[in-house]
Structures are given as C-alpha cells and as structure tokens.
Amino acid sequence: MSKRIQFARTGGSEVLDLIDVSPAEPGPGEVRVANRAIGLNFIDIYFRTGLYPAPSLPAGLGTEGAGMVDAVGEGVTHLAPGDRVAYAQGPLGAYAELHTLPADKVVALPDAIDFETAAASMLKGLTVQYLMRQTHPLKGGETILWHAAAGGVGSIACQWARALGVKLIGTVSSPEKAALAEQNGAWATIDYTKENVVERVRELTDGAMCDVVYDSVGKDTWETSLDCLKPRSLMVSFGNASGAVEGVNIGILNQKGSQFVTRPSLNGYADTPERLQMMADELFAMLESGKLKVDISHRYPLSEAGKAQDALQSRQTTGSTILLP
C-alpha cells in the first residue's frame, strides 16, 4: 500500500483526503515513480475547485514531481528502475508516494540537480521556457510586464529575463515581494495595491509601453494588461488566478492598438517527447549554470496538501512550495 491525496467532489481544501491505495502497475509504455518531492501549483487548485474538470471522480491531484523509477512497463527502454527522473505532465496523481504515468512524459534528471529543486522547478521552469523562448522568443532588449513576479513562476521568470538581457517589470502586492522580485532580476516592480499599473508602466518606459505582457491572473488584470502594451504587441494570458477571462469582444484588440493575444499551455508546447526533452535540457542547463536558482520557501508533508494549497491561493507564499511524501 502507498499513500496519496485524492478528492471525490470539488470544492475547498477540505475535499482533499489522504488515503491508502494499492499502487497501479505500469502498463505498456508507462513508468512508476517513487516520489521524493512533489511540486505544488495553481493548476492543482483549478482541478480541485472544478475550474478545470478532472476526467472522473474520485481523482488524484498534481502533475509534477521528482524521484526514482520504481518499475517500468512493457516497451519502455529509455528508463530503468533506479533512474533519477522528473516530470511535469501526465495524468493527475502526483500528490502520492508512488505515481504511474506515461514514460514519454518523464525526463532523466541530471545528478547535479536534487529532487526538491527538480520538483519545485519542472512545471514552473518549463512554463517560463515556453513563454520566453517559444511563445515569444525573447532575444534581449525587450521590455515586458510580468504579473505576480514574486510567485513561483515569476521568481524563475525574473532570473531568466535577467539572463536574456530583458527588462522585466513585475507586479507585486507588498514591499517584501517587490524586494524579492528585484533580487531575482526584475528591472522594476509595481505594487498594484498602491500604484496604478498602467500609469506606472508608462512612466517607467517613457511612454513606450511593453513588448509583451505575461498574465497569469486572468479576469482581474485583462484590460490593464492590454493597456500596458505597445501597438501591435502580444498579450500572453497563461493563467486564471482571479478567474477565467470571459465575455471578451475580440474587437477590443483593435481598439487598444491592433494587439495580438494568445492563451498557451505547457501541454501545447511540450507535445512530443523530443520537444519536452529539448525544453527540459534548456531548463537544466540554466539550473546547472547558476543563472537560475529555485527558492523553495515552503515545505509541507503530503498530509498537509490542503494547508499548502490554502497558503498558495491566499498569496501568502513567495517562491516555490513543495510537498514531501
């Protein structure tokens, strides 16, 4: 038997239960991973609340972790029991001691990167990789706006932007978070609880505004984000922390300067084993070079997954949070 978190109905963190299960044997093309560390992400809350529907209920939760290969299924030749691995995609169920998933969603983990760092950085780091290197390939010299710059994804984005020579303006909710974002490489920060974001962007850029806005907040920041863009620039909406963007008349993109908008996802970019490996290789190289460091500011036992999610949802956290089985 092994332990896992599951939920039988959607709702608040109280719907999460820690149960004993018989771990699934890996089928053809699958691998079973003994987790050493598990990543905590906002998308987990989306599934728990029903914003993103789970395939069926009861369901496991989580898609990110790192550990050792425990068993492999028929046809798996690139991985073997005992291999160090990490993953960020696949079926729900990473909140567990043992997790079975498709082998093509798992990448080998270099010895230089520990399990906690991998679990804290795979989903967030691969997200920043596709946003900065593929959705809009930043070359250096651009000015961008990044909402929630002191969070887990934002902390990685600030460092990656600095390494690329990009001016990242980060929105934050406190002086402490501003200091953290600037320490990580943000060119400037805006405290949205006290400052008008659009006016401050205009001041910081001498009226030029931003080449790209990266928005994981959603409904509450949609129009503000568009107003921070240069004409014919790109709005990247990649999250719904405040709720989904709904009821949008596409004509607003014309009114605000012939803007472009995209709603990407990790699964839309890491859609083949080769592409996933390419993205992971770049992330691992950034980690090994020291250009990217992961701040694991909170660690919770697996049994306290609900408490960890509450802290994340109420924006009490900075950096990355992990669960330890």
Side-chain angles (χ1 to χ4, degrees), residues 194-319:
K194 300 176 181 177
E195 301 175 280
N196 182 290
V197 173
V198 178
E199 290 180 3
R200 188 68 182 123
V201 167
R202 187 172 289 113
E203 291 173 1
L204 289 166
T205 62
D206 294 325
M209 311 307 281
C210 296
D211 297 285
V212 191
V213 173
Y214 294 97
D215 189 335
S216 62
V217 177
K219 179 177 64 176
D220 289 354
T221 51
W222 166 252
E223 289 215 29
T224 293
S225 294
L226 290 177
D227 288 338
C228 289
L229 285 167
K230 295 177 180 178
R232 301 175 302 282
S233 294
L234 179 64
M235 161 69 170
V236 183
S237 177
F238 69 100
N240 314 286
S242 67
V245 177
E246 297 176 339
V248 174
N249 180 348
I250 197 170
I252 196 173
L253 302 175
N254 173 36
Q255 297 165 15
K256 293 184 179 294
S258 297
Q259 310 294 13
F260 297 85
V261 64
T262 183
R263 180 58 175 88
S265 68
L266 175 59
N267 288 339
Y269 280 86
D271 56 349
T272 67
E274 295 77 18
R275 199 176 183 96
L276 171 61
Q277 190 63 60
M278 175 274 293
M279 295 166 64
D281 287 345
E282 185 169 7
L283 171 62
F284 294 154
M286 290 288 289
L287 289 166
E288 291 187 67
S289 71
K291 293 178 182 177
L292 181 60
K293 296 180 180 179
V294 179
D295 171 29
I296 304 175
S297 53
H298 305 276
R299 294 172 174 83
Y300 291 84
L302 180 61
S303 59
E304 295 183 6
K307 181 179 178 181
Q309 286 193 353
D310 287 343
L312 178 65
Q313 192 169 16
S314 62
R315 301 190 181 187
Q316 297 174 24
T317 65
T318 57

Side-chain angles (χ1 to χ4, degrees), residues 29-317:
E30 292 185 332
V31 61
R32 189 169 66 199
V33 178
N35 286 325
R36 297 291 184 84
I38 300 157
L40 181 80
N41 298 283
F42 238 102
I43 193 171
D44 306 339
I45 296 171
Y46 298 162
F47 278 108
R48 189 203 73 209
T49 60
L51 178 64
Y52 291 176
S56 63
L57 295 175
L61 197 59
T63 61
E64 179 184 39
M68 306 282 285
V69 173
D70 177 68
V72 300
E74 180 184 351
V76 176
T77 58
H78 67 292
L79 295 170
D83 286 353
R84 304 175 77 253
V85 294
Y87 58 90
Q89 301 168 278
L92 297 177
Y95 284 25
E97 294 176 339
L98 294 170
H99 183 38
T100 300
L101 70 164
D104 62 6
K105 300 298 185 183
V106 176
V107 296
L109 182 64
D111 290 340
I113 300 173
D114 63 79
F115 294 120
E116 291 192 1
T117 297
S121 65
M122 275 293 287
L123 184 59
K124 302 173 185 69
L126 292 178
T127 296
V128 174
Q129 195 283 335
Y130 84 73
L131 290 172
M132 287 190 166
R133 307 293 287 149
Q134 298 186 72
T135 303
H136 185 94
L138 296 172
K139 297 177 173 63
E142 299 94 341
T143 300
I144 66 175
L145 180 69
W146 195 288
H147 289 289
V153 176
S155 295
I156 292 174
C158 289
Q159 296 176 70
W160 212 313
R162 176 171 56 190
L164 291 170
V166 170
K167 292 181 177 179
L168 183 148
I169 302 171
T171 68
V172 296
S173 60
S174 70
E176 293 77 18
K177 291 188 175 183
L180 177 61
E182 290 168 8
Q183 177 184 331
N184 281 327
W187 175 65
T189 55
I190 301 171
D191 186 338
Y192 64 83
T193 68
K194 300 176 181 177
E195 301 175 280
N196 182 290
V197 173
V198 178
E199 290 180 3
R200 188 68 182 123
V201 167
R202 187 172 289 113
E203 291 173 1
L204 289 166
T205 62
D206 294 325
M209 311 307 281
C210 296
D211 297 285
V212 191
V213 173
Y214 294 97
D215 189 335
S216 62
V217 177
K219 179 177 64 176
D220 289 354
T221 51
W222 166 252
E223 289 215 29
T224 293
S225 294
L226 290 177
D227 288 338
C228 289
L229 285 167
K230 295 177 180 178
R232 301 175 302 282
S233 294
L234 179 64
M235 161 69 170
V236 183
S237 177
F238 69 100
N240 314 286
S242 67
V245 177
E246 297 176 339
V248 174
N249 180 348
I250 197 170
I252 196 173
L253 302 175
N254 173 36
Q255 297 165 15
K256 293 184 179 294
S258 297
Q259 310 294 13
F260 297 85
V261 64
T262 183
R263 180 58 175 88
S265 68
L266 175 59
N267 288 339
Y269 280 86
D271 56 349
T272 67
E274 295 77 18
R275 199 176 183 96
L276 171 61
Q277 190 63 60
M278 175 274 293
M279 295 166 64
D281 287 345
E282 185 169 7
L283 171 62
F284 294 154
M286 290 288 289
L287 289 166
E288 291 187 67
S289 71
K291 293 178 182 177
L292 181 60
K293 296 180 180 179
V294 179
D295 171 29
I296 304 175
S297 53
H298 305 276
R299 294 172 174 83
Y300 291 84
L302 180 61
S303 59
E304 295 183 6
K307 181 179 178 181
Q309 286 193 353
D310 287 343
L312 178 65
Q313 192 169 16
S314 62
R315 301 190 181 187
Q316 297 174 24
T317 65

